[in-house]
């Protein structure tokens, strides 16, 4: 005789998981008035896990530091890249080796608009 219990109903793997609701905003947004969603366009950040069409959560209250993924403005155009420094000057580095780095030249101004804190990829699109 085997000592133990056997379930007589339908076994559910979900029984092993907590069913507490998750509030995505509470989990991801630390500065509600300074947080925005933007949609990524292009393939320059694919090596960082940011795909064309992904939703980016951008926090404008955070101080951008070298190594952060940032949304920046250069020549009145928004772009998402890694913020890097060389010789005390900021530049933007893509996460795809087929794209060039962006080094501000002459009177070009690079403005960091916000820090990307999260990227949301949809696997199934309607």
């Amino acid at each position: 005789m085997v000592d133990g219990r056997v379930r007589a109903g339908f076994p559910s793997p979900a029984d092993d998981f907590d069913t507490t609701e998750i509030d995505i905003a509470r989990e991801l947004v630390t500065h509600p008035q300074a947080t925005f969603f933007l949609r990524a366009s292009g393939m320059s950040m694919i090596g960082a896990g940011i795909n064309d069409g992904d939703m980016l959560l951008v926090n404008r209250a955070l101080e951008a530091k070298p190594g952060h993924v940032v949304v920046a403005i250069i020549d009145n155009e928004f772009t998402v890249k890694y913020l890097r420094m060389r010789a005390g000057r900021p530049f933007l580095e893509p996460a795809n080796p087929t794209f060039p780095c962006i080094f501000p030249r002459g009177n070009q101004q690079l403005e960091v608009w916000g820090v990307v804190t999260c990227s949301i990829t949809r696997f199934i699109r309607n």
Side-chain angles (χ1 to χ4, degrees):
M1 176 179 237
V2 177
D3 212 11
R5 293 179 178 222
V6 175
R7 291 183 185 221
F10 178 74
S12 173
D15 288 342
D16 296 333
F17 296 98
D18 187 7
T19 58
T20 305
E21 289 185 15
I22 295 174
D23 181 342
I24 295 295
R26 189 177 72 236
E27 293 290 325
L28 301 178
V29 178
T30 55
H31 300 96
Q33 277 69 35
T35 301
F36 299 86
F37 277 105
L38 298 175
R39 189 169 303 280
S41 177
M43 303 301 283
S44 72
M45 292 302 287
I46 197 160
I50 298 174
N51 303 296
D52 185 49
D54 283 359
M55 292 298 296
L56 305 178
L57 190 68
V58 182
N59 188 327
R60 296 197 67 198
L62 295 178
E63 178 186 350
K65 297 180 180 173
H68 282 169
V69 176
V70 299
V71 171
I73 304 170
I74 191 157
D75 290 336
N76 296 316
E77 297 282 332
F78 282 92
T79 188
V80 59
K81 303 282 185 283
Y82 284 113
L83 178 64
R84 303 286 191 210
M85 297 292 282
R86 181 178 289 166
R89 294 183 50 117
F91 71 97
L92 301 172
E93 180 183 35
N96 182 334
T98 64
F99 287 78
C101 290
I102 300 172
F103 296 92
R105 295 167 288 153
N107 63 352
Q108 278 185 319
Q109 186 176 359
L110 184 146
E111 176 190 344
V112 174
W113 191 81
V115 176
V116 177
T117 60
C118 181
S119 175
I120 300 171
T121 300
R122 290 185 65 164
F123 295 109
I124 299 172
R125 297 194 192 265
N126 298 338

